[in-house]
Amino acid sequence: MSINDLDLAHLRTCVDLAREALADGDEPFGSVLVDAAGEVRFRDRNRVKDGDETRHPEFEIARWSATHLMSAERAAATVYTSGEHCPMCSAAHGWMGLGRIVYAVSSAALAGWLDEWGVAPGPVLPLPISAVAPGVVVDGPALELEAEMKALHRRRFA
Ligand code: ZN
């Protein structure tokens, strides 16, 4: 699959959530879950500032889906996210049997920016989703949103 205008609109929401997270002292990541009918069912953004480093929106989505969606609904859902899932979130997504993922910025691109800015890499390898959950259909990056996301991440380390 490729990224269409509707996908871009959902990714735009993710970028807005990332901006909201950064403004609140968290890291600039945001995600939404859209069901097969095209309805946004759940949205969240990064919430790590109080010390729980696992509070990634993609992880929250996977856990939310466990109690709010049947397995067929999970498989038919699409998860949009401003930054490609980390291995923890890829695993949660894979274990829950969620459907397609569409991301704006790849983990490799983000790792490259951190290196460019002299920021130490995080404690978890920036593996692509396909290396952790190979059965998941993944689309990205969305180059239209890359400059905006890069600016948000730059502000995080300014
Ligand atoms: Zn994650």
Side-chain angles (χ1 to χ4, degrees):
M1 253 184 255
S2 59
I3 297 178
N4 63 30
D5 287 348
L6 188 57
D7 293 328
L8 270 179
H10 289 306
L11 286 176
R12 159 60 42 202
T13 301
C14 297
V15 172
D16 291 344
L17 286 163
R19 184 181 304 285
E20 176 189 313
L22 186 67
D24 200 33
D26 292 298
E27 296 174 3
F29 297 95
S31 311
V32 301
L33 180 146
V34 177
D35 68 17
E39 187 184 344
V40 174
R41 298 288 298 277
F42 187 77
R43 59 167 68 192
D44 202 9
R45 46 84 162 179
N46 179 282
R47 299 180 187 279
V48 301
K49 75 172 177 211
D50 294 325
D52 184 347
E53 295 291 340
T54 69
R55 293 202 62 187
H56 298 183
E58 305 94 330
F59 198 32
E60 296 293 333
I61 281 174
R63 300 179 84 181
W64 177 88
S65 78
T67 49
H68 293 83
L69 299 177
M70 307 296 287
S71 67
E73 293 176 302
R74 289 197 292 272
T78 300
V79 173
Y80 294 90
T81 189
S82 62
E84 184 177 5
H85 288 45
C86 75
M88 172 183 76
C89 296
S90 294
H93 187 103
W95 280 120
M96 289 313 304
L98 284 158
R100 179 182 175 225
I101 293 174
V102 185
Y103 64 77
V105 172
S106 71
S107 297
L110 177 57
W113 296 342
L114 298 186
D115 184 55
E116 177 186 329
W117 300 330
V119 176
V124 174
L125 283 175
L127 299 175
I129 295 164
S130 60
V132 178
V136 178
V137 173
V138 181
D139 287 305
L143 298 177
E144 297 90 333
L145 297 168
E146 191 173 76
E148 189 172 352
M149 281 310 307
K150 187 174 184 180
L152 287 179
H153 283 289
R154 188 74 194 96
R155 271 169 46 199
R156 172 182 158 203
F157 297 107

